[in-house]
Amino acid sequence: DTAVSQTPKYLVTQMGNDKSIKCEQNLGHDTMYWYKQDSKKFLKIMFSYNNKELIINETVPNRFSPKSPDKAHLNLHINSLELGDSAVYFCASSQRERGGLDEQYFGPGTRLTVT
Amino acid sequence: GDSVTQMEGPVTLSEEAFLTINCTYTATGYPSLFWYVQYPGEGLQLLLKATKADDKGSNKGFEATYRKETTSFHLEKGSVQVSDSAVYFCALSIKAAGNKLTFGGGTRVLVKP
């Protein structure tokens, strides 16, 4: 069973289009994240949701809109795609533990190429 | 703000060589520290972690010790294999900051037979 899954794995699209990436976790976690990995492998947090509530929004352009229909899903919608959006997008999840370590589990990534 | 600095790669080694990847951090709070590994074409996997000073994380022959006095979390392995070829990321998280992971730039390791 895949713990954190993302679809699609690859996405090639043209500038100006709107696209969505889906993420689902079957770990029963209450917190989900989106990270972006650029061409130089640098990873940076974009968003985090806890129990469907947005808790982190890291100065991401408002063309990016996360949506969490329930605790197990966090989708990423991107409007008016630009060349600079080309990257690998990783979804992750964790369970908030009082006083404990919120270990994050990552999905396999979605490679987005904007032409 | 919080940040993680790790040595730039690529690091090229022969099989059975000793591997060290340096990692230092700056943090506004008391962080938990992690090493993640990314094998070619795959997502990130947690390699090891440490939550407080002097904790040693270990897994698959890799070790790292949380050194608060030097704000470091260097990764070591005594004898690498070709299968250890990957990109290694040092990271920190702070609960008060929403538990987001702040990553270093990654270090590519290539082990040759």
Side-chain angles (χ1 to χ4, degrees):
Chain A
D1 279 347
T2 303
V4 183
S5 60
Q6 296 179 226
T7 53
K9 190 170 173 63
Y10 300 97
L11 182 54
V12 181
T13 188
Q14 292 184 326
M15 279 196 309
N17 285 348
D18 303 338
K19 290 292 179 185
S20 292
I21 306 171
K22 295 186 176 182
C23 178
E24 177 181 2
Q25 54 94 3
N26 62 6
L27 298 167
H29 289 166
D30 61 2
T31 307
M32 297 184 73
Y33 313 78
W34 278 110
Y35 290 85
K36 179 181 179 181
Q37 185 176 43
D38 64 21
S39 58
K40 296 183 179 179
K41 297 287 190 182
F42 187 72
L43 274 154
K44 188 172 168 56
I45 183 83
M46 298 176 70
F47 301 103
S48 174
Y49 271 73
N50 175 255
N51 282 318
K52 302 195 298 175
E53 180 185 347
L54 180 67
I55 57 172
I56 296 175
N57 182 343
E58 288 280 309
T59 60
V60 178
N62 57 16
R63 297 183 296 104
F64 290 79
S65 52
K67 284 186 172 50
S68 182
D70 55 57
K71 285 196 314 181
H73 297 84
L74 180 61
N75 303 323
L76 184 64
H77 188 75
I78 315 171
N79 288 327
S80 304
L81 278 155
E82 301 177 356
L83 292 176
D85 298 332
S86 295
V88 180
Y89 293 84
F90 287 101
C91 178
S93 73
S94 69
Q95 178 62 34
R96 283 206 157 177
E97 301 284 354
R98 185 188 295 272
L101 179 66
D102 299 353
E103 185 174 323
Q104 294 183 31
Y105 294 80
F106 281 77
T110 296
R111 181 176 295 277
L112 171 65
T113 304
V114 182
T115 62
Chain B
D2 304 331
S3 66
V4 177
T5 303
Q6 59 183 107
M7 56 192 291
E8 288 190 29
V11 174
T12 304
L13 302 163
S14 297
E15 227 172 359
E16 299 184 4
F18 185 87
L19 170 67
T20 299
I21 304 176
N22 289 339
C23 171
T24 57
Y25 66 89
T26 58
T28 51
Y30 198 103
S32 296
L33 301 174
F34 307 84
W35 277 100
Y36 279 85
V37 58
Q38 186 177 28
Y39 298 103
E42 296 185 13
L44 285 90
Q45 300 175 27
L46 179 64
L47 182 59
L48 52 84
K49 62 194 179 203
T51 58
K52 59 184 188 299
D54 300 325
D55 268 2
K56 178 186 280 188
S58 61
N59 186 26
K60 299 182 181 179
F62 290 89
E63 290 184 342
T65 301
Y66 191 143
R67 300 286 188 203
K68 193 164 185 278
E69 64 277 12
T70 54
T71 61
S72 64
F73 193 53
H74 305 321
L75 183 69
E76 296 181 338
K77 185 173 185 182
S79 176
V80 293
Q81 306 301 313
V82 172
S83 57
D84 293 324
S85 298
V87 181
Y88 292 82
F89 293 91
C90 186
L92 67 83
S93 75
I94 297 176
K95 221 178 226 332
N99 198 41
K100 66 177 182 180
L101 283 165
T102 299
F103 287 92
T107 302
R108 183 180 298 277
V109 172
L110 178 61
V111 181
K112 296 187 173 179

